[in-house]
Amino acid sequence: MTARPQDAPVLEIRGICKTFPGVRALDEVSFNVGKGEVHAIVGENGAGKSTLMKVLAGLHAPDGGKLVYNGQEQSFTSPLDARLKGILLVHQELSLSPELSVAENIYLGAWPTNRVGVLRKKKLHEDARAALQALGSDINPMTRVGELSIARQQMVEIARAQAFNANVVIFDEPTASLADTEKAQLFKTILELKERGRSILYISHKMDEIFAITDRITVLRDGKYQGTETTAETDIDKITRMMIGRDLDAYFHRAKSAPGAEVLRVEKMCSSDFSDVSLSVHAGEVLGLYGLIGAGRSEVAESLFGMRQIRSGTLYWHGEETPFPKPRQAIEMGISLVPESRKEQGLVLGMNGRENTTLPHLSAYAQAGVMVHSREMQTYREYVDLLDIRTSGPDQLVATLSGGNQQKFVLAKWLCGHPKLIILDEPTRGIDIGSKSAIHKFIAGLAEQGLAVIVISSEMPEILGVSHRVAVMSEGKIVAEFTGADQTEENLIAAVSERRNVEAPEEGSAERPPVDARAVMGGQG
Amino acid sequence: MDRSSAVIALVRRHGLIVAFLIFIVLVSANSPTFLTVGNFLDVIRQTSITGMIALGVTFVVITGRFDLSVGSMLTLLTVVVVDQHNAVGPGLALLFVLVGGMVLGAVNGLLIGFIGLNALIVTLAMLSFLQGLTLLYSGGANVNIADAQSWFALFGRGTVYNIPVPVLIFLASAAAASFLLRKTIFGRTVYAVGGNEVATRFSGINSRWTIFLAYVLSGLATAGAAIIMGSRVMGAQNTIGQGYELTVLAGVVLGGTSLIGGSGSIWRTVLGIIMLGFIQNGLLLLGYPYYVQWLVTWFVIIAAVWIDLGAKRGRLFA
C-alpha cells in the first residue's frame, strides 16, 4: 500500500475558488493526487469538501484556479463530461435511476447505439457484465436497480468507474449506510481500483476508515486548504487539530445565567425519525443539540413544537406531565421554534414585516376576529427598535429585505409572544461572522432573561461556544451529553464517529439497537 | 433586479390596464353608444353574476388554488332555486340554495384542504359531477318559475333609485368580502397560506381550515350568483352556467390577483370583472359574435399566468 504520489500527479488542483451568495466555499485550494493513491479529504461540516468534489466532478464550475489533469488544464462542462474524461463521483446519495437496469445505469448518458439511434442492448449488457466482473461482482446487469441493496447499488456506481476507465474516483461518505461486511467489501474494491492504478479521493468523517485505507490526508477548514499529511506519519490528534484549529472563546458569548427550574423535559420520545430521545432544558439555560445533518435534530425540534407526529414518549412542561402539543398549543404554552429554513419555513415572503411578526399570535391582535391595526403596529415598532431591523417602513415586503433583517423578523415573530422556551434551529446558517457574533450575543441575552433555549447547530465551535450543556445526536438517537470541561471538540467528534462505527444498521430497518455504553461518556449533569 | 425583470414587473403591474385603456379608446371611436351611462349600467348589471362568483373564487385563488367547479355549480343551483321556488316557495328555495352552495364548497374544501388532493383535479371532477347531478335532478327539462309576479324577481330584475338590484347585491357582497379578506384573522390566514403554506403551518395556523373555508365561501358566492341568475331569467336551462368557471378566473387574473397565490384583493377582482365586462360588451358593439369572448378569455388567462411566471423567475422565456 505504498503511495507514489510525488512522481506522477494525476490530478493537480491549483488555487481553486468557488463562491456562493454570501459564502466563500473554496478559497485558493491547492493540492495534488498521485497515480494509484487513496487520498482522504477531511474537514468539519461546511469546510468545503463536498463543494470541492462537485467542482472536480463537473457539477460546479470553479470561479478561479485551475484543474490540471494528466498534465493538461481541464474544465468540465457537466458530470458526463468529467466522467468521459475519466473523473467519476460516487455520490453520498446514490444517483441511480431505480427503474432502469444495472447496465443502463452504468452507462447512463452514454448508451451504445447503432447508426439510427437504437439501443444496442446486447453490447450494453456484455460491457456492463465485464465492468462488474473486473471488480469481482456477480450482479446481473439486467436486474432493475431498485431491487438491489444499498451496498450493491453502490457497487453499480463504482462499476461506472471501471466502465468509463475512470482514472480518478471520488467517494463522498461511501460507508454512511453500509453494514460492516459491506464496508469490508467496499474497501476491497477500493484497493482493487488502486491496484489497477486508479486514484481515489475519499471523503469521510470516520477517522478509523481514513487511517485504514488512505495514503495521504488533505485537511480543509472554512474553505481553505490546511495541509496534506502522509497517513503513515500522522495521527488522529494532529488531523483533528488541523480541522478545528481556531480560537474558540474569542467571539462566542455564553450566557452568564445559572440554570433555574426545569422548563421542559421529554422522556423516551420516539418517532419514525428518531428513537428514545430524552432531554431536558432549564430556565436560563442554553442546551446545545449537536449532530451531523440528518442525525434527527430538526425532527426532534419540530416534534417538540408539534409539527411532527410522535409515536411514544412523555413530555413534562414545568414539571407537569402534558400531552405533546400541536403547533397552536405549543405557541400558547410558550414554545417558540425558529426553524432551519428562513425562506421556506420562517417567513411569508410576500407579506410585510408587521404581518409576519404577528402571524403566530393573530388572536392576540384581534377583537372578535377583526384585526386591530394599532396593536399590531405597537408590537411591530417595539421589535423593529429592539432588534434594530432596517426596513423602509411597515409596508415593506420581507422578500425585499436583506437576509440578516429577514432573520431578525423571524426572531421578532417568535419573541413577541413572550415564550418560555425558544428552539433555534441552525440560527446562523449562511450568515457572515459579524452577524453570527451578534446572534450569539442575543442568544446569551435570552437565557440571561430567564428563557430556556435549545440551539441546534452542526457547527461545532458555535455549539460549544454558546451552550451550557451539549447533547449529541447521531442516527436518530442522543448518544452523549457533555457539560463543563468535557464539552470539547474532541469529545463531540468522538461521540459522533464512535456511534457511527459501533453500529452499522441494516438498511431499511426502522428498529435500531440501543445506545452503546461506550458512546455515552463525559459528565451527565 | 436587472432591467428585464424590472420591465416584467412594470408590465405585470400596469400592462393589462394600459391594454384595456387602448381597447376602450378603440371601441369608443367606433361605437357611439359605448361610453354612455346606460351602457355602463348595462355592463355592470351583466357582470354582477360573474362578479358574485369571482368574489368567492378570489379567496380560493389567493390561497394558491383553483375552483373550476363554479360553472356547473351555478347551473345546478340555478336549476334548484327555480324548481324549488315552484315546489316550496321563494323563501325556502333561497335557503336551500345558499346552504347547498356551502355544502358543495365544503365537499371541495374537504377533499382539497383536509385530504390534500390536487385542487385542479378535484374541482374539475366536481364540474363533471355537478353536470350529471343537474341532469339527474331536472331530468333534462328546462324549468321556469310559474308565478311571474313572485317577489323573487327582485334579485335579478328590480331597481332601487334606478340602480339594478343585482348591482347593489354585488357591491354590498364585495364590500363584505373585502372586509373579511383585509380586516379579519381569517383573511390574514388566506394570504399567509397562499404566500407560504409551510411557514404558515410553522406559525401554528391550521391551513386546512383556511383552505376549507375558502371553498365554502366560493360555494356561497356561487349560490348568490345562482339566485340573481334564476331571478333574472325566471327560469333555468341545464347549461346556463357553462363556461363561467374560466370567465370568472379570467376576471380575477385580469384584476391582477396572482394565480401563484398570496396576493390579490377583492377590489382588484371587481375591477378585473368589470374590465372583462367592458371588453365583451365592446366586442359585441363592434359587431363580433358573443362567442368571441371565449377567445378573449384564453388571451387574458394566458397573458396573466405568463406575466406572473415571468415576474417570478425574472424572464419571460424558459
Side-chain angles (χ1 to χ4, degrees):
Chain A
M1 272 179 68
T2 46
R4 305 156 302 250
Q6 285 3 307
D7 49 36
V10 170
L11 183 65
E12 287 177 71
I13 290 132
R14 291 191 194 155
I16 290 288
C17 298
K18 177 75 192 173
T19 306
F20 295 112
V23 193
R24 192 132 174 95
L26 292 174
D27 192 358
E28 299 269 336
V29 172
S30 304
F31 63 96
N32 61 53
V33 182
K35 185 173 161 65
E37 180 189 20
V38 182
H39 194 120
I41 312 284
V42 299
E44 289 187 89
N45 285 334
K49 294 166 298 187
S50 290
T51 308
L52 177 64
M53 295 309 118
K54 284 176 182 165
V55 167
L56 294 181
L59 281 157
H60 290 326
D63 304 330
K66 283 184 198 166
L67 292 177
V68 179
Y69 174 60
N70 280 336
Q72 281 183 327
E73 192 177 329
Q74 285 283 3
S75 60
F76 303 125
T77 52
S78 71
L80 184 62
D81 183 37
R83 199 195 301 169
L84 291 171
K85 286 172 178 164
I87 297 188
L88 182 106
L89 173 65
V90 176
H91 290 265
Q92 189 172 3
E93 316 267 327
L94 299 175
S95 64
L96 302 170
S97 305
E99 293 303 323
L100 296 183
S101 75
V102 168
E104 285 164 339
N105 266 290
I106 290 176
Y107 286 95
L108 197 61
W111 289 343
T113 52
N114 66 16
R115 238 172 286 154
V116 289
V118 175
L119 179 65
R120 295 171 62 193
K121 255 200 165 138
K122 205 167 156 216
K123 177 174 168 49
L124 178 71
H125 287 151
E126 278 166 10
D127 290 356
R129 194 183 305 276
L132 286 161
Q133 271 167 359
L135 295 170
S137 169
D138 59 352
I139 300 173
N140 180 352
M142 284 149 87
T143 318
R144 219 169 49 86
V145 158
E147 294 165 14
L148 299 176
S149 71
I150 298 288
R152 286 169 90 79
Q153 290 190 20
Q154 198 172 44
M155 183 55 82
V156 173
E157 285 229 15
I158 299 168
R160 278 183 183 162
Q162 182 65 31
F164 284 85
N165 240 326
N167 282 317
V168 179
V169 186
I170 304 166
F171 288 91
D172 190 1
E173 294 275 3
T175 59
S177 45
L178 297 189
D180 278 343
T181 50
E182 296 168 337
K183 229 187 271 184
Q185 177 61 42
L186 172 70
F187 293 163
K188 222 175 107 195
T189 308
I190 287 176
L191 295 179
E192 184 82 20
L193 289 169
K194 176 187 160 81
E195 284 304 312
R196 289 166 184 264
R198 316 275 198 247
S199 305
I200 314 288
L201 277 168
Y202 192 87
I203 304 176
S204 178
H205 279 96
K206 301 179 188 173
M207 288 294 169
D208 60 335
E209 291 176 7
I210 285 166
F211 277 85
I213 65 162
T214 68
D215 301 310
R216 290 195 300 163
I217 303 171
T218 287
V219 183
L220 297 181
R221 185 173 77 224
D222 293 337
K224 294 194 182 68
Y225 173 72
Q226 299 300 315
T228 302
E229 299 285 319
T230 302
T231 310
E233 293 162 14
T234 188
D235 55 43
I236 292 185
D237 282 350
K238 175 149 193 217
I239 297 295
T240 308
R241 270 198 308 279
M242 286 170 75
M243 280 167 60
I244 304 163
R246 63 186 130 184
D247 193 4
L248 288 189
D249 292 316
Y251 65 93
F252 288 105
H253 304 268
R254 187 178 295 155
K256 304 209 168 40
S257 51
E262 179 185 276
V263 173
L264 172 110
R265 174 158 51 101
V266 285
E267 280 172 8
K268 294 196 178 302
M269 180 168 67
C270 298
S271 84
S272 54
D273 303 296
F274 51 80
S275 55
D276 281 336
V277 167
S278 299
L279 53 82
S280 70
V281 59
H282 296 247
E285 182 188 40
V286 180
L287 170 70
L289 198 53
Y290 175 76
L292 303 177
I293 291 159
R297 307 159 310 169
S298 299
E299 289 79 0
V300 166
E302 288 170 19
S303 301
L304 293 177
F305 186 70
M307 283 298 290
R308 283 171 186 267
Q309 284 273 313
I310 59 133
R311 284 194 187 136
S312 62
T314 327
L315 182 142
Y316 298 88
W317 182 246
H318 291 292
E320 271 178 52
E321 191 176 335
T322 311
F324 278 88
K326 291 199 182 318
R328 178 86 262 134
Q329 296 155 333
I331 292 167
E332 278 156 17
M333 280 158 70
I335 301 178
S336 280
L337 171 64
V338 177
E340 189 175 358
S341 164
R342 181 174 69 229
K343 290 187 178 170
E344 273 113 54
Q345 304 166 321
L347 294 170
V348 181
L349 292 176
M351 284 184 151
N352 61 39
R354 168 179 56 87
E355 291 163 333
N356 269 290
T357 304
T358 57
L359 194 60
H361 324 283
L362 289 177
S363 49
Y365 297 94
Q367 201 117 43
V370 179
M371 300 301 297
V372 181
H373 188 254
S374 58
R375 270 192 229 165
E376 281 195 277
M377 279 309 292
Q378 194 184 342
T379 298
Y380 167 80
R381 289 209 185 89
E382 185 185 334
Y383 281 88
V384 164
D385 285 348
L386 183 74
L387 300 173
D388 190 26
I389 307 176
R390 307 288 162 82
T391 80
S392 63
D395 293 329
Q396 187 178 5
L397 300 184
V398 293
T400 61
L401 292 171
S402 72
N405 282 311
Q406 287 182 351
Q407 187 70 356
K408 286 177 179 177
F409 268 122
V410 182
L411 287 174
K413 158 180 180 178
W414 288 114
L415 289 173
C416 74
H418 304 290
K420 307 280 191 299
L421 165 67
I422 187 162
I423 306 171
L424 301 132
D425 192 353
E426 298 280 5
T428 64
R429 170 170 293 168
I431 288 180
D432 64 274
I433 218 105
S435 311
K436 272 187 187 180
S437 187
I439 289 182
H440 295 147
K441 210 170 186 168
F442 186 75
I443 291 171
L446 293 177
E448 281 162 8
Q449 286 165 34
L451 260 79
V453 183
I454 298 178
V455 175
I456 296 173
S457 175
S458 39
E459 284 184 42
M460 222 182 284
E462 171 169 289
I463 209 101
L464 292 170
V466 302
S467 312
H468 292 104
R469 201 153 48 94
V470 180
V472 181
M473 277 200 83
S474 177
E475 292 172 6
K477 293 193 168 231
I478 293 193
V479 292
E481 199 174 295
F482 299 105
T483 158
D486 292 325
Q487 203 173 303
T488 64
E489 300 225 6
E490 288 79 0
N491 277 344
L492 258 56
I493 291 182
V496 169
S497 48
E498 277 214 20
R499 164 73 184 176
R500 295 186 126 210
N501 296 343
V502 166
E503 269 181 44
E506 288 285 306
E507 33 141 339
S509 80
E511 284 301 313
R512 286 173 169 155
V515 185
D516 189 276
R518 274 181 295 160
V520 185
M521 42 189 190
Q524 286 280 5
Chain B
M1 283 275 157
D2 52 62
R3 252 184 51 204
S4 71
S5 46
V7 170
I8 296 168
L10 202 71
V11 170
R12 186 193 192 188
R13 201 168 300 159
H14 306 294
L16 289 172
I17 302 251
V18 171
F20 175 69
L21 291 177
I22 294 169
F23 175 82
I24 293 285
V25 170
L26 285 178
V27 179
S28 345
N30 290 293
S31 163
T33 49
F34 187 61
L35 280 186
T36 59
V37 177
N39 189 49
F40 184 82
L41 279 178
D42 258 2
V43 169
I44 307 273
R45 190 170 51 79
Q46 281 156 8
T47 54
S48 58
I49 292 172
T50 42
M52 276 301 286
I53 303 175
L55 296 179
V57 169
T58 301
F59 283 84
V60 172
V61 170
I62 293 176
T63 68
R65 285 162 175 80
F66 294 93
D67 193 344
L68 295 182
S69 66
V70 289
S72 48
M73 201 184 290
L74 176 67
T75 307
L76 174 66
L77 295 175
T78 308
V79 167
V80 168
V81 78
V82 168
D83 183 65
Q84 289 298 312
H85 183 283
N86 292 342
V88 297
L92 275 177
L94 286 180
L95 185 70
F96 286 173
V97 163
L98 290 172
V99 172
M102 288 197 281
V103 168
L104 294 176
V107 172
N108 280 334
L110 202 70
L111 293 170
I112 295 161
F114 285 94
I115 301 181
L117 303 184
N118 179 288
L120 215 57
I121 303 300
V122 167
T123 58
L124 203 55
M126 183 61 105
L127 180 151
S128 163
F129 179 81
L130 294 181
Q131 272 175 356
L133 198 62
T134 304
L135 289 170
L136 270 181
Y137 181 89
S138 69
N142 294 336
V143 282
N144 290 299
I145 289 179
D147 175 13
Q149 301 307 310
S150 165
W151 54 266
F152 181 72
L154 177 75
F155 300 111
R157 298 181 171 186
T159 55
V160 174
Y161 294 112
N162 287 331
I163 302 170
V165 171
V167 171
L168 293 176
I169 295 176
F170 172 45
L171 293 179
S173 304
S178 186
F179 177 81
L180 193 60
L181 189 58
R182 289 191 49 196
K183 299 288 182 189
T184 66
I185 291 185
F186 167 69
R188 187 69 63 82
T189 63
V190 168
Y191 283 108
V193 167
N196 185 344
E197 196 169 339
V198 174
T200 306
R201 283 192 283 114
F202 267 90
S203 299
I205 289 165
N206 190 337
S207 57
R208 296 181 180 127
W209 263 107
T210 306
I211 295 162
F212 175 80
L213 289 175
Y215 278 97
V216 171
L217 279 178
S218 185
L220 178 63
T222 306
I227 290 166
I228 297 174
M229 178 76 102
S231 165
R232 190 152 119 217
V233 183
M234 292 302 269
Q237 300 104 44
N238 292 307
T239 54
I240 202 163
Q242 205 171 49
Y244 268 70
E245 58 282 334
L246 287 182
T247 310
V248 164
L249 198 62
V252 171
V253 295
L254 189 59
T257 293
S258 164
L259 285 181
I260 299 163
S263 67
S265 69
I266 292 296
W267 74 262
R268 277 180 172 279
T269 290
V270 171
L271 195 72
I273 286 287
I274 290 175
M275 275 162 64
L276 196 65
F278 273 107
I279 293 172
Q280 288 168 359
N281 172 263
L283 289 171
L284 285 174
L285 291 181
L286 289 181
Y288 291 98
Y290 75 98
Y291 41 78
V292 169
Q293 62 174 281
W294 294 329
L295 310 186
V296 174
T297 301
W298 177 88
F299 174 80
V300 167
I301 289 180
I302 296 299
V305 292
W306 192 354
I307 292 167
D308 231 17
L309 183 67
K312 200 183 176 195
R313 70 182 172 195
R315 57 184 199 283
L316 282 177
F317 298 95

